[in-house]
Amino acid sequence: MFNLVLFGPPGSGKGTQSENIVTTYNLHHISTGDLLRDEVSRHTPLGTEAKKYMDQGMLVPDEVVIGMISSKIDETPDARGFVFDGFPRTRTQAEALDKLLEFKQTKIHLVLSLDVPEPELIKRLVSRGETSGRSDDTEEVITKRIKEYHLKTQPVANYYFGSGKLETVTGNHTVTDTFKALSKQINKYILPI
Ligand code: B4P
């Protein structure tokens, strides 16, 4: 089994690159952003609660997100591995993920951090907001999301750096070139299928 965390600020391309990675390496994609948006669109109690935070550019409480991830991992016990996209976003989430994987006798093998300058992040997300209708892709909310990232999520990089799992990749090249750079790191662990 090979488990990868794709890490980076909002708009750095985690979702975009995850799609390519899971197809190329036959891995299972777990995006907490997608899972939460699905709950919101189905008007579930969890979605109604999560929307309050997402619309303000804030992180959804840890216990909500960790519960979602745990049941998602259990759905595909035979997966070749997982790409965690947008998770963990806090140290508490990172520790919970380690425990969940340890229980399944596996671990996080690699954390790839996408590095993109802030003006480019804002440009990408504002441009996506013009067509996606995502309520968190307005300039005001994007600025809050980036602040929340620096405050709560960026410290998670140190957690993984400490265990020698963190590699940083420049994420402001084209989607194809960024994917090539990510693949170079992943190929050290598994090869495309
Ligand atoms: P997410 O859905 O995870 O999304 P994201 O941070 O906006 O984007 P991502 O980095 O995936 O960028 P993308 O590829 O889409 O989070 C949304 C919200 O959900 C959070 O703010 C939070 O409230 C909540 N949430 C999610 N996970 C949580 C957790 N674990 N704990 C608590 N709360 C959580 O790319 C963005 C745009 O850039 C796209 O339009 C794309 O086409 C473009 N793009 C990508 N790569 C490009 C490139 N190389 N060049 C040019 N454009 C590019």
Side-chain angles (χ1 to χ4, degrees):
M1 200 174 213
F2 170 75
N3 300 309
L4 170 72
V5 169
L6 211 51
F7 189 82
S12 55
K14 302 181 295 290
T16 306
Q17 295 298 336
S18 292
E19 296 294 338
N20 290 336
I21 293 170
V22 294
T23 313
T24 306
Y25 295 92
N26 190 24
L27 298 171
H28 196 79
H29 186 194
I30 298 188
S31 156
T32 41
D34 287 350
L35 292 173
L36 290 167
R37 279 185 289 277
D38 179 55
E39 297 279 347
V40 171
S41 71
R42 290 188 290 114
H43 303 285
T44 64
L46 192 156
T48 308
E49 182 64 14
K51 190 174 187 316
K52 291 185 211 156
Y53 296 91
M54 295 167 84
D55 283 353
Q56 291 179 62
M58 287 164 65
L59 293 182
V60 173
D62 287 335
E63 57 276 17
V64 174
V65 184
I66 292 165
M68 252 178 19
I69 284 279
S70 173
S71 47
K72 213 60 204 165
I73 294 175
D74 287 339
E75 276 175 22
T76 45
D78 298 329
R80 189 188 191 202
F82 294 95
V83 175
F84 295 97
D85 160 10
F87 180 88
R89 265 174 151 103
T90 63
R91 195 182 165 108
T92 304
Q93 292 180 16
E95 287 169 352
L97 181 61
D98 277 351
K99 283 205 191 104
L100 279 174
L101 294 177
E102 199 183 319
F103 186 67
K104 291 169 203 315
Q105 292 173 334
T106 184
K107 62 176 183 174
I108 290 300
H109 296 85
L110 178 65
V111 178
L112 292 173
S113 172
L114 287 164
D115 183 28
V116 177
E118 199 162 308
E120 171 70 12
L121 298 174
I122 296 173
K123 197 178 97 190
R124 286 182 187 181
L125 292 173
V126 166
S127 141
R128 178 172 70 185
E130 284 163 6
T131 53
S132 70
R134 261 178 70 165
S135 53
D136 60 349
D137 275 349
T138 62
E139 196 155 351
E140 193 196 342
V141 180
I142 292 163
T143 309
K144 283 197 200 149
R145 286 165 65 193
I146 293 175
K147 242 190 194 164
E148 188 87 334
Y149 170 79
H150 287 304
L151 194 69
K152 296 181 183 164
T153 306
Q154 210 170 27
V156 177
N158 295 334
Y159 177 80
Y160 288 116
F161 182 75
S163 54
K165 294 178 180 173
L166 183 77
E167 294 290 342
T168 300
V169 169
T170 302
N172 64 336
H173 298 308
T174 63
V175 171
T176 307
D177 286 347
T178 303
F179 178 64
K180 277 186 196 155
L182 294 169
S183 294
K184 215 172 145 183
Q185 295 296 333
I186 299 171
N187 289 344
K188 293 177 187 168
Y189 296 82
I190 51 165
L191 292 173
I193 278 194

